[in-house]
Amino acid sequence: MRRRWPRPAIDMAFVLALVLALPCAGEAAAADRRSGSDFMAPETRAMQADDMSNPAMLWVADGEQSWHRPEGAAGRACATCHGDATRSMRGVAARYPAFAEATGRPVDLSGRINLCRRTHQPAPPFASESRELLALTAYVAYQSRGMPIAPPQDPRLDPFRANGGALYERRIGQLDLSCAACHDARWGQQLGGSVIPQAHPTAYPLYRLEWQSVGSLQRRLRNCMVGVRAEPYAFGAPELVDLELFLMGRAGGMALETPGVRP
């Protein structure tokens, strides 16, 4: 019988050291911005483009059912107030994160959904990264697919956007890396067999083949933090929302692709 030897663990510190030794590409100019889908294999791009093959459409279908389901003490559904999502939600996801009067700070689209559940249905908020929350968020975002990302020009968001930019540039973790160190300085290069994208969040929530599930941008950000051996922020943390606010600003004008597929 042939003996199977265990595969050696990948030393990410060593891999990152090799990447950091390569020449820097620099932050992409506005005209050179590229979606993460542009860096994918043709087969993965085809999976995203075909709704019959895109596994994230299962979450979108669940979200459509949730949209019409009465919940909470008031027995209201999302459709009770907002009607036909294909009309009322058109363009909404392209404008988030946005400032919320109830919290005095920005909320992402998932946060807005949970605010509505608490205040208008009222019903308990969905758990972070739950299928219910991801499905409803994906359904709402799907109504804006193909539209240009249009960050709100609200001066109340300025300090939070600035904080997101500072977090993007801040070096963290045992590997002492920032988001910019990879996604601005070395986009297009290889890291662990994958191409480093430009960090434009154009397709969330998305189905990641690595996860075999749909996940939020917050999940992806937390994964990156763990990858550089830093303590990740908790789901829903203000820092993660500020980061998304900054990243969506950088992606302004790019087409929304939700629900995306990524390796």
Side-chain angles (χ1 to χ4, degrees):
M1 184 175 179
R2 186 176 179 181
R3 185 173 184 179
R4 295 182 179 273
W5 295 96
R7 295 179 61 184
I10 296 175
D11 187 340
M12 289 305 297
F14 176 70
V15 173
L16 285 167
L18 291 178
V19 171
L20 295 177
L22 296 172
C24 294
E27 181 178 356
D32 296 328
R33 292 180 305 171
R34 297 172 62 187
S35 163
S37 62
D38 293 339
F39 298 95
M40 299 190 308
E43 297 81 4
T44 312
R45 289 199 299 270
M47 184 184 295
Q48 175 175 299
D50 182 0
D51 285 351
M52 297 301 293
S53 300
N54 186 335
M57 291 303 296
L58 296 173
W59 276 255
V60 172
D62 285 353
E64 183 176 11
Q65 292 184 0
S66 181
W67 180 264
H68 294 283
R69 184 183 303 123
E71 292 195 38
R76 292 193 185 103
C78 303
T80 304
C81 295
H82 298 288
D84 183 358
T86 63
R87 297 181 179 180
S88 63
M89 294 294 107
R90 183 72 175 156
V92 169
R95 301 191 295 268
Y96 269 78
F99 191 86
E101 297 283 354
T103 62
R105 59 166 293 109
V107 295
D108 59 10
L109 186 56
S110 293
R112 177 70 263 178
I113 288 171
N114 270 336
L115 276 177
C116 281
R117 284 181 61 81
R118 286 197 297 265
T119 58
H120 298 299
Q121 287 183 298
F126 291 127
S128 296
E129 217 61 18
S130 64
R131 185 177 178 105
E132 294 84 359
L133 183 57
L134 289 168
L136 192 50
T137 304
Y139 176 67
V140 172
Y142 174 67
Q143 311 310 319
S144 301
R145 186 169 65 171
M147 296 187 69
I149 292 171
Q153 302 302 308
D154 185 340
R156 294 175 297 180
L157 294 172
D158 291 346
F160 305 102
R161 187 178 288 111
N163 184 50
L167 292 170
Y168 184 81
E169 298 285 347
R170 182 178 302 162
R171 291 180 175 270
I172 60 173
Q174 293 179 343
L175 301 186
D176 193 35
L177 289 171
S178 66
C179 308
C182 288
H183 297 291
D184 282 357
R186 290 170 176 84
W187 63 266
Q189 297 175 13
Q190 293 278 335
L191 175 60
S194 300
V195 180
I196 302 173
Q198 295 174 345
H200 298 307
T202 56
Y204 287 89
L206 56 75
Y207 187 94
R208 197 168 183 87
L209 301 179
E210 174 191 359
W211 298 336
Q212 290 291 289
S213 178
V214 165
S216 67
L217 176 61
Q218 292 198 9
R219 181 175 180 181
R220 176 68 261 179
L221 292 173
R222 282 168 48 88
N223 282 177
C224 283
M225 291 173 186
V226 171
V228 300
R229 299 178 184 173
E231 183 71 25
Y233 298 116
F235 281 111
E239 292 86 353
L240 293 177
V241 178
D242 291 354
L243 262 171
E244 180 176 352
L245 179 66
F246 171 74
L247 292 173
M248 289 294 275
R250 292 171 81 239
M254 299 179 72
L256 203 67
E257 303 170 37
T258 307
V261 178
R262 293 293 185 268

